Amino acid sequence: MVVPIQPKHDLSPIEIDAIEEWIYDYNRRAIGRYDAQGLGFVIRDGAGRTIGVAAGYSWAGTSELKQMWVDEAYRGRGYARELLNAFIAEAAKRGVRRIWVASYDFQAPGMYEKAGFKRVAEFAGWPEGHLNVVLCRTLIARSETL
């Protein structure tokens, strides 16, 4: 059987959203958890322009912070820390046990570490000459029964 594979290097946001939904549908059926929710916070300036955002999701007792961004003109004012604090507080309110985040060495792994995240993996050469750092913060210790 020959499968016709076509290059498509510019998937639209609608196509990517559909793919995410297919993956989530499979995952939730696989483990029986249907509690996925977006989790995000935005800071806007006086004109309503977005100047900072923390965005991710929670699902099955875990959370991933996928995007964290503060406009360069507003950096150094504590906005990223406030966004992170809001994200952590909401995740905790939802009963999340662990929050995951990836950050390149030239971004903000130090900020996450100051907020209680621990490095759990480092990938050298991603991108070349740099590290991709995966960090995790445990919010609620899971009780283990033997």
Side-chain angles (χ1 to χ4, degrees), residues 3-25:
V3 178
I5 298 175
Q6 302 171 344
K8 177 82 167 129
H9 306 299
D10 58 351
L11 293 169
S12 72
I14 291 170
E15 291 170 305
I16 292 169
D17 286 347
I19 294 163
E20 291 280 345
E21 186 57 35
W22 297 333
I23 293 168
Y24 171 61
D25 185 55

Side-chain angles (χ1 to χ4, degrees), residues 5-61:
I5 298 175
Q6 302 171 344
K8 177 82 167 129
H9 306 299
D10 58 351
L11 293 169
S12 72
I14 291 170
E15 291 170 305
I16 292 169
D17 286 347
I19 294 163
E20 291 280 345
E21 186 57 35
W22 297 333
I23 293 168
Y24 171 61
D25 185 55
Y26 174 83
N27 291 346
R28 68 183 172 203
R29 284 183 287 114
I31 70 163
R33 292 287 299 260
Y34 298 83
D35 60 346
Q37 293 181 357
L39 201 169
F41 294 90
V42 176
I43 298 174
R44 299 186 194 280
D45 67 10
R49 190 175 73 91
T50 300
I51 60 169
V53 64
Y57 64 89
S58 63
W59 175 62

Side-chain angles (χ1 to χ4, degrees), residues 21-109:
E21 186 57 35
W22 297 333
I23 293 168
Y24 171 61
D25 185 55
Y26 174 83
N27 291 346
R28 68 183 172 203
R29 284 183 287 114
I31 70 163
R33 292 287 299 260
Y34 298 83
D35 60 346
Q37 293 181 357
L39 201 169
F41 294 90
V42 176
I43 298 174
R44 299 186 194 280
D45 67 10
R49 190 175 73 91
T50 300
I51 60 169
V53 64
Y57 64 89
S58 63
W59 175 62
T62 62
S63 182
E64 181 181 5
L65 175 56
K66 294 183 73 156
Q67 291 96 17
M68 170 71 90
W69 174 81
V70 173
D71 183 285
E72 280 191 62
Y74 293 88
R75 292 182 187 164
R77 301 180 190 188
Y79 292 160
R81 182 57 190 245
E82 289 302 316
L83 286 164
L84 183 58
N85 288 342
F87 192 95
I88 292 167
E90 178 61 24
K93 199 163 94 175
R94 294 181 185 188
V96 164
R97 288 187 310 274
R98 289 178 194 85
I99 300 173
W100 300 91
V101 65
S103 180
Y104 295 114
D105 60 346
F106 54 86
Q107 290 176 327

